[in-house]
Amino acid sequence: MLQRPPAEPPSAQVPARAWLMLALATVGFAVNFWAWALLSPLGPRFKDTLELSSFEQSLLVAVPVVVGSLGRIPVGALTDRYGGRVMFPLVSAVTVVPVLYLGLAGHSSLPALLVGGFFLGVGGTAFAVGVPFVSAWFPPERRGLAIGVFGMGMGGTAISALTTVKLVDAFGTANPFLVTAGVLVVYAVVATLLLRDAPGRAAPAEPMLRRLTGTLRLSITWQASALYAVAFGGYVAFSVYLPTYLKTGYGLTQADAANRMAGFVLLAVAMRPVGGWLSDRVGPVRVLAGSLAVVVAGALAQSFTPSLAPLGTVAFLSMAAALGAGSGATFAFVALLAPPGRTGSVTGVVGAAGGLGGFVPPLVMGSLYGAYGSYALGLLLLAAVAAAALVFTETGVRRAARPVRVPAVNAR
């Protein structure tokens, strides 16, 4: 049974520098995610100019997702070893290379785009750097909110959605890639100068492979991975595929579809810290259960392809809010249960599961539409997966979280 802990001791107060580190980490996450999502808004354009099939278009936008997801596993382990002060500038600097390649030479054919997209996935690994970095700066009873705020950096995909097509139309295909590369370079320099790891951070002594093996034996790793594959995976899937869905299913223009996708992303981003904040107060299990129930209802409603005004819009925005809150709650759960020396490793595996959860749906949606001319079956599958995750949350996850005390932040 959850018990109210005693009032927070003075040592639980958050130092002022922690908020600066959180802000710098959030900006770094946003900038790298901006780069990671550059190909998605241009998917419909490349489909027309390169005469791609629906599956090829889906593959194009999904490749950075899967690489960025799997890459979080070693990057999370490296962050445990070297800290965010080293890894944030390093990931940002490495991401500059594929961004410049895609802008200057790699957008003229599908193979060239796939090669660039493969290495562009490095930008998606920034998430596995930020979670352990931020967690180390905040006490357990504040980590849900802190990691939720950091998670707002996923709004970098909204920056891409709002600016990429406009910059291409105004200045040519290379422009958004050059702009993003410049921002990444500036951030890498600023991060090198200003980022500091939390005082007392101890690098693990055991080899990385042994740490990863130990991480895979933890139940929290697999429980959180299953939940994040649905919550964040659903967000990623919609953020990369929604422009195609709206253009194909509703006949919207590319610009209108990209703007609507940006609205979806911004709402999910805004709800992520809300999910973490609520988890600090009522527990992550309740927040996850409520979020997944909303996803089930929204996916079922959208499977009938209602008109966008108002039912379709309500369904998508409800799912955006729920997926954002559920993503924040998942990492509040991780912050409570993951061993401190393995937070980066657990984050890497869980983050990989979330990204992979976003890799499969675009391919499924593209294939189903190509076969049946409808997205209904894909949305019904989403509802079924979310329902299964809801049952798992109310059983296995609730049992795992029961020994964890929910802080009473007002008990002072």
Side-chain angles (χ1 to χ4, degrees), residues 291-322:
S291 300
L292 290 167
V294 172
V295 173
V296 172
L300 287 175
Q302 190 57 35
S303 68
F304 294 98
T305 318
S307 61
L308 278 178
L311 187 55
T313 298
V314 170
F316 275 119
L317 293 182
S318 296
M319 286 191 287

Side-chain angles (χ1 to χ4, degrees), residues 41 158 160-162 165 242-243 246 252-263:
S160 179
L162 290 170
V165 174
L242 196 55
L246 293 173
L252 301 186
T253 65
Q254 182 180 351
D256 192 11
N259 288 338
R260 289 174 186 267
M261 186 271 272

Side-chain angles (χ1 to χ4, degrees), residues 6 18 41 49 58 81 102 134 141 148 187 197 285 407:
T49 58
S58 300
R81 177 68 179 84
L102 285 166
V134 170
E141 58 272 15
Y187 177 76
D197 290 310
V285 174

Side-chain angles (χ1 to χ4, degrees), residues 145-245:
L145 174 61
I147 295 173
V149 171
F150 168 73
M152 293 180 70
M154 67 187 190
T157 56
I159 299 174
S160 179
L162 290 170
T163 62
T164 301
V165 174
K166 294 176 183 178
L167 288 172
V168 168
D169 289 340
F171 304 107
T173 302
N175 187 266
F177 296 93
L178 297 176
V179 169
T180 307
V183 175
L184 282 166
V185 169
V186 171
Y187 177 76
V189 173
V190 171
T192 301
L193 296 174
L194 298 181
L195 275 185
R196 296 292 183 272
D197 290 310
R201 190 192 79 85
E206 59 185 342
M208 185 173 74
L209 183 59
R210 185 181 300 172
R211 278 186 286 124
L212 286 175
T213 303
T215 297
L216 294 176
R217 294 195 184 104
L218 297 173
S219 59
I220 175 62
T221 303
W222 297 107
Q223 290 165 342
S225 293
L227 295 171
Y228 206 56
V230 178
F232 186 70
Y235 160 79
V236 170
F238 279 121
S239 66
V240 301
Y241 199 71
L242 196 55
T244 300
Y245 175 93

Side-chain angles (χ1 to χ4, degrees), residues 223-409:
Q223 290 165 342
S225 293
L227 295 171
Y228 206 56
V230 178
F232 186 70
Y235 160 79
V236 170
F238 279 121
S239 66
V240 301
Y241 199 71
L242 196 55
T244 300
Y245 175 93
L246 293 173
K247 186 173 184 291
T248 305
Y250 286 94
L252 301 186
T253 65
Q254 182 180 351
D256 192 11
N259 288 338
R260 289 174 186 267
M261 186 271 272
F264 179 97
V265 167
L266 289 172
L267 180 56
V269 166
M271 288 301 296
R272 184 151 184 163
V274 174
W277 176 79
L278 286 172
S279 296
D280 285 340
R281 282 150 178 78
V282 304
V285 174
R286 291 181 181 178
V287 180
L288 281 163
S291 300
L292 290 167
V294 172
V295 173
V296 172
L300 287 175
Q302 190 57 35
S303 68
F304 294 98
T305 318
S307 61
L308 278 178
L311 187 55
T313 298
V314 170
F316 275 119
L317 293 182
S318 296
M319 286 191 287
L323 292 169
S327 297
T330 301
F331 271 94
F333 179 58
V334 169
L336 287 175
L337 295 184
R342 297 189 188 275
T343 303
S345 299
V346 173
T347 296
V349 176
V350 175
L356 291 175
F359 171 75
V360 176
L363 299 179
V364 172
M365 295 287 276
S367 298
L368 290 175
Y369 187 84
Y372 302 106
S374 171
Y375 291 114
L377 183 56
L379 287 157
L380 288 174
L381 288 174
L382 171 61
V385 171
L390 175 58
V391 172
F392 176 61
T393 298
E394 291 289 7
T395 54
V397 175
R398 184 173 293 280
R399 284 194 298 272
R402 189 167 291 136
V404 180
R405 300 185 301 178
V406 177
V409 297

Side-chain angles (χ1 to χ4, degrees), residues 104-168:
L104 298 176
H107 56 264
S108 58
S109 69
L110 178 61
L113 284 167
L114 291 177
V115 170
F118 180 91
F119 291 101
L120 191 64
V122 173
T125 68
F127 178 75
V129 178
V131 171
F133 176 79
V134 170
S135 292
W137 274 103
F138 287 82
E141 58 272 15
R142 292 290 184 268
R143 285 178 187 159
L145 174 61
I147 295 173
V149 171
F150 168 73
M152 293 180 70
M154 67 187 190
T157 56
I159 299 174
S160 179
L162 290 170
T163 62
T164 301
V165 174
K166 294 176 183 178
L167 288 172
V168 168

